[in-house]
Amino acid sequence: MTALDLSSPVAVVGTGTMGQGIAQVALVAGHPVRLYDAAPGRAREAADAIGARLDRLVEKDRLTGAERDAARARLTPAESLAGLAGCALVVEAVVERLDVKQELFRALEDVVGDDCLLATNTSSLSVTAVGGALREPGRFVGLHFFNPAPLLPLVEVVSGYATDPASATRAYETARAWGKTPVACADTPGFVVNRIARPFYAEALAVFEDQGADPATIDAVLRESGGFRMGAFELTDLIGQDVNESVTHSVWQAFFQDVRFTPSLAQRRLVESGRLGRKSGQGWYDYRDGAERPRPHTAEPADPPAYVVVEGDLGPAAELPALIREAGVEVREKATGTGGRLVLPGGGQLLLADGRTTAELGDSVHFDLALDYRRATRVALSAGTGTPRGTLAGATGLFQALGKQVSVIGDVPGMIVARTVARIVDLAHDAVAKGAATEEDVDTAMRLGVNYPLGPLEWGRTLGRSWAHALLVELHRRDVTGRCAPSLALYRHAHAVDATGGSRP
């Protein structure tokens, strides 16, 4: 099954930001495009807005004048649904209400031909449920574009329970012909991106609710240590707190209130207060004129230790001894059968976040996970009530000597980056094991859909087969709600052995 021929008309129903973006993508690809909106005059306004965006593409040398003129000539506002007769594909981008979408597609079935492909751009509703209202649900598929559709490459191609494989293939190949990167996924709550991304927001909110750190500090650690493009608080402000919370609530409900997807009370209160983010002028941050952006907590300068002793295998932090040597601090090595750690001259130990609290370890400091310790510009530390000041100062000075800014946060098990990455890795394995998508498509979706620095399964491989599972086991012991309990899929992955009985890499 191949992509739609460029001569085939494509229709978009709903002319908001997403509808206009999808129409522009199909138009620039070369299709005749018809726009329809139930509100009188909206389709004409949308066509004019798309024309203005085509003008800007010409100004940026992304289209020639002739290409723009040809595209404009292919764009037609439709006065009624009847004007969509003869289209080969209709993509819906109307309000996220099941009854509205079902009514629309029932009406479309009376207008379009039997060979017309019908698609919904829903991000939170069940494709199966929307298509269940149709006489011929086999031709119904999800085409979930990401906003802004002309710029973001990812399209989730979602097969509902009754979707014909040929329809899904045609939708997939059409999205690829439009210059997009499609991923095939099953109709599970949140599809791929909105399902696996929930911990990125949830763990940041959990750290905040536990008074481990303020939003500015959490965001800075996620960016500067974790390698994420944006922190969770600034990103939800950009998305809209109401929109982000709605998706979280939808996924939670669709999974029968699975505790792993429980919404945040702190975010609920923010939405109730009307602080929805950039669009309302206030969210976690203040965007009003003259408002100052809060700065992350950054520790004052401290002296580095004269030396450190490396004991055991530091795992994901294995590059630290080389960086410490390069900074001019003596490194001594001691073989040990126990877990890896750095020991300061006074006996205090530095351990990579492992899901335990620092308070239970005595004279210790935890340091957070970094995507790349050499390139990271900030590292978070946490100390317990029993940690001597000298140990925290030595740990702070050590990382400052490596050129890092240091943020000291509360004694939160798993800290910030480590717990976030472990939970994302877990949900990725769970999604693959349950047939939501392939490993390759999961990694592609998370890199392109939400700009993660690595796909979660790729990230898990770099951290070691058992790392995420071990950390989540410790977190679960300290939070018995089950929110952080590792999935069966991650358990199997962590304990997998090859045919000879040895652990797989």
Side-chain angles (χ1 to χ4, degrees):
M1 185 66 68
T2 59
L4 295 176
D5 187 272
L6 289 181
S7 63
S8 302
V10 171
V12 177
V13 179
T15 58
T17 301
M18 184 58 77
Q20 290 183 32
I22 296 170
Q24 180 181 329
V25 170
L27 192 65
V28 171
H31 288 272
V33 174
R34 301 177 196 174
L35 289 173
Y36 173 73
D37 197 292
R42 288 279 180 85
R44 171 57 61 186
E45 293 173 3
D48 291 341
I50 293 170
R53 284 201 290 273
L54 295 177
D55 289 339
R56 290 195 289 273
L57 291 178
V58 172
E59 293 170 3
K60 296 177 180 178
D61 293 326
R62 295 178 182 174
L63 279 183
T64 66
E67 289 170 334
R68 176 208 44 210
D69 294 342
R72 278 181 166 172
R74 294 193 302 271
L75 182 59
T76 306
E79 298 298 327
S80 66
L81 280 181
L84 308 185
C87 285
L89 167 64
V90 180
V91 184
E92 161 274 317
V94 301
V95 65
E96 285 285 89
R97 280 180 47 188
L98 179 60
D99 59 337
V100 172
K101 293 181 188 290
Q102 288 178 329
E103 182 180 355
L104 169 64
F105 284 109
R106 279 195 294 261
L108 280 168
E109 276 197 307
D110 294 331
V111 172
V112 300
D114 293 341
D115 59 347
C116 178
L117 188 64
L118 299 177
T120 175
N121 183 59
T122 185
S123 61
S124 59
L125 298 177
S126 163
V127 171
T128 301
V130 178
L134 299 179
R135 295 190 300 270
E136 297 292 339
R139 60 168 162 172
F140 188 74
V141 67
L143 275 178
H144 181 215
F145 289 78
F146 288 74
N147 194 24
L151 297 180
L152 294 185
L154 183 68
V155 177
E156 291 178 318
V157 181
V158 188
S159 292
Y161 187 79
T163 300
D164 190 312
S167 297
T169 300
R170 171 153 284 188
Y172 184 98
E173 294 299 334
T174 297
R176 186 159 63 176
W178 290 358
K180 296 302 181 182
T181 303
V183 296
C185 54
D187 184 23
T188 60
F191 309 143
V192 175
V193 173
N194 280 330
R195 172 180 180 164
I196 297 173
R198 294 349 292 164
F200 180 72
Y201 314 109
E203 296 313 307
L205 287 161
V207 171
F208 171 75
E209 290 174 335
D210 286 343
Q211 299 187 33
D214 60 279
T217 299
I218 295 170
D219 279 353
V221 172
L222 286 168
R223 289 193 314 269
E224 300 172 37
S225 183
F228 293 97
R229 187 76 58 87
M230 298 179 73
F233 294 95
E234 58 189 343
L235 180 54
T236 53
D237 269 357
L238 178 63
I239 294 168
Q241 296 301 330
D242 53 340
V243 175
N244 182 260
E245 191 209 27
S246 176
V247 173
T248 298
H249 196 272
S250 175
V251 172
W252 174 62
Q253 289 284 21
F255 274 115
F256 305 103
Q257 299 186 357
D258 186 329
V259 68
R260 295 176 300 167
F261 302 100
T262 302
S264 160
L265 180 59
Q267 188 175 40
R268 176 90 290 264
R269 293 292 180 258
L270 200 69
V271 172
E272 289 174 338
S273 72
R275 297 189 176 192
L276 306 182
R278 289 179 181 268
K279 63 185 177 183
S280 69
Q282 286 181 285
W284 294 111
Y285 301 108
D286 192 337
Y287 300 94
R288 295 172 296 182
D289 291 343
E292 291 188 14
R293 183 70 172 261
R295 296 181 179 180
H297 169 77
T298 302
E300 294 295 324
D303 294 328
Y307 66 88
V308 294
V309 179
V310 178
E311 295 186 359
D313 182 2
L314 296 178
E319 62 186 320
L320 280 178
L323 299 182
I324 295 170
R325 289 189 182 94
E326 291 172 16
V329 177
E330 181 185 353
V331 175
R332 303 174 184 176
E333 296 188 6
K334 179 180 178 181
T336 176
T338 59
R341 72 198 71 196
L342 300 172
V343 181
L344 300 175
Q349 58 180 350
L350 280 64
L351 305 110
L352 176 62
D354 56 10
R356 296 180 293 176
T357 63
T358 309
E360 63 196 84
L361 301 175
D363 187 1
S364 301
V365 170
H366 273 119
F367 60 91
D368 207 352
L369 179 70
L371 173 68
D372 181 334
Y373 282 100
R374 181 174 293 277
R375 296 183 180 180
T377 58
R378 183 178 299 270
V379 172
L381 304 178
S382 69
T385 54
T387 302
R389 288 186 179 181
T391 298
L392 180 58
T396 299
L398 176 64
F399 281 101
Q400 288 174 338
L402 306 186
K404 319 299 181 188
Q405 296 192 78
V406 173
S407 291
V408 179
I409 70 169
D411 189 11
V412 179
M415 301 191 68
I416 298 171
V417 179
R419 67 191 289 167
T420 299
V421 172
R423 288 211 59 219
I424 290 171
V425 169
D426 180 45
L427 287 192
H429 278 283
D430 185 53
V432 171
K434 292 179 177 174
T438 66
E439 289 191 10
E440 181 181 0
D441 278 352
V442 164
D443 278 351
T444 297
M446 302 312 291
R447 283 189 291 102
L448 298 183
V450 277
N451 288 311
Y452 284 2
L454 293 173
L457 296 157
E458 177 187 8
W459 209 337
R461 287 190 291 272
T462 68
L463 294 169
R465 175 172 288 273
S466 62
W467 179 84
H469 179 265
L471 187 142
L472 292 177
V473 166
E474 295 297 337
L475 279 178
H476 179 52
R477 287 173 177 166
R478 288 152 185 84
D479 178 1
V480 295
T481 63
R483 198 179 68 83
C484 297
S487 66
L488 178 59
L490 188 66
Y491 177 88
R492 287 170 173 157
H493 176 77
H495 294 86
V497 295
D498 60 26
T500 64
S503 296
R504 290 178 183 171

